[in-house]
Amino acid sequence: MALKYSRQREMIKDFLMTRHDHPTADIVYMNVRRQNPNISLGTVYRNLSLLADIGEIQRLRLGDGTDHFDADTSPHYHFICTKCGCVMDLKMESLESITDIAGADFDGTIDGHVTYFYGTCGECAKSEVL
Amino acid sequence: MALKYSRQREMIKDFLMTRHDHPTADIVYMNVRRQNPNISLGTVYRNLSLLADIGEIQRLRLGDGTDHFDADTSPHYHFICTKCGCVMDLKMESLESITDIAGADFDGTIDGHVTYFYGTCGECAKSEVL
DNA sequence: TTCCTTGCAAATCGTTTGCATAATG
DNA sequence: CATTATGCAAACGATTTGCAAGGAA
């Protein structure tokens, strides 16, 4: 299963690096299609999964039913606006310690955690006032 | 949209209260069907969603693609075994403070967080040794 | 009688897969 | 040449929905 170069994979990764809003596979597809109208949705899904598997991008499951993808693979937390659905990065310290807290009274091994925050984003908060 | 009594909804809720393993809609369907073979999957989905909306049960999105349901609506955390896929409750203190940590440098309002832990459960850890 | 709820089946949504063909190493 | 990747379309699993019929208030 040696990896071979593919123009499509390159395009997908490049596109993802320009975006900081954690797009879904469908959004990636619609955009990459502008540069290569022949690309298929299946190829987009295959490459997003592959890139996520080899750790070049991150797959986010935020509970809205569809996966989001992030070219930023450094550990960081996300915020989802319950009003507009936008996803944004949070600048905050690591919460690794909560894994220890969780493992304190647990009969097994805890390897990690998944956490995301929700609420109202700055934009939506503004328009509420109007 | 006043709620009317329904035998099916009652059965679904009753069944869920007997289980502590956070079953999926399909598992609920298969079990409730034993008492009422005529019940339809759609009814199960409709009632699980309804009960979750009015807060009588909790819907868990654990990133495995299918929703799980929990009759215990008190705030608590969950653990998912990456080996066997089982879901269990964690006895641990509240992590409300992380919401404040996340909100410290954020231009919006954070209402809450979703956190779940993953790793190897006690059972799977045992069988690994064998 | 009014309106909620059901059973059933068809529809939808996000994602995966089989297969013949094209591109890479 | 051996192998991996692609486009396309069909297949999938989970969930939702339209609709006519049934049950609760």
Side-chain angles (χ1 to χ4, degrees), chain A residues 6-129:
Chain A
S6 123
R7 204 164 71 77
Q8 287 84 336
R9 181 154 56 237
E10 215 55 28
M11 287 171 56
I12 290 168
K13 200 182 162 194
D14 286 349
F15 168 71
L16 211 50
M17 289 196 295
T18 70
R19 299 277 294 237
H20 301 280
D21 61 344
H22 319 78
T24 61
D26 217 69
I27 306 263
V28 173
Y29 173 59
M30 292 192 301
N31 281 275
V32 168
R33 197 140 79 127
R34 292 214 282 255
Q35 299 159 61
N36 177 356
N38 290 327
I39 197 171
S40 75
L41 226 203
T43 296
V44 171
Y45 272 103
R46 265 189 292 241
N47 279 300
L48 286 173
S49 281
L50 192 160
L51 290 168
D53 287 348
I54 63 178
E56 299 214 3
I57 65 175
Q58 210 185 335
R59 165 186 261 131
L60 307 178
R61 300 193 193 266
L62 305 170
D64 68 345
T66 90
D67 289 357
H68 293 250
F69 296 88
D70 188 350
D72 179 359
T73 58
S74 69
H76 60 281
Y77 294 91
H78 296 98
F79 169 87
I80 302 99
C81 178
T82 49
K83 298 281 195 311
C84 69
C86 72
V87 180
M88 31 207 333
D89 291 331
L90 285 175
K91 292 196 199 75
M92 59 183 284
E93 62 190 276
S94 165
L95 300 176
E96 270 318 305
S97 58
I98 69 174
T99 295
D100 301 329
I101 297 177
D105 187 19
F106 180 66
D107 173 41
T109 315
I110 295 188
D111 295 330
H113 68 275
V114 172
T115 295
Y116 54 86
F117 299 84
Y118 56 87
T120 310
C121 74
E123 283 304 304
C124 284
K126 262 179 231 161
S127 44
E128 268 179 5
V129 183

